[in-house]
Amino acid sequence: MPVMHFRVRWPDASETRCYSPSSVVRDYLAPGERYALADFMRRTREALGMASERVRAKYGFACSQAMDQLAEIEHIAARFSETAEAQVTVVAFD
């Protein structure tokens, strides 16, 4: 299962390098695309949830790193929840 990283740029121009245990995130996010915060969060929850389930299917247990990464993303996103029209840009897949 190919581990991958993806970088996102938040509305305040800060960036975060994110982890996924599976390349399934490519089905949900695209480099260079800007997403409304709510859409980005929906896509990220689905992608990391699916990635964790792929780990479960292969190894018999969910991926705690994927869920930890999702928690970090949700914590950062909460800072912008009151920002009108907040957008997140997927900078690149590493």
Side-chain angles (χ1 to χ4, degrees), residues 2-51:
V3 168
M4 67 173 297
H5 292 89
F6 56 101
R7 285 184 293 129
V8 299
R9 183 174 304 121
W10 299 98
D12 67 354
S14 65
E15 291 188 9
T16 302
R17 185 172 187 246
C18 303
Y19 166 83
S20 174
S22 167
S23 62
V24 71
V25 74
R26 291 179 185 273
D27 295 341
Y28 293 87
L29 302 171
E33 289 294 319
R34 297 178 77 186
Y35 300 94
L37 181 63
D39 185 36
F40 172 76
M41 293 309 302
R42 180 189 60 76
R43 290 168 177 272
T44 302
R45 286 182 191 110
E46 288 182 30
L48 291 177
M50 179 66 72

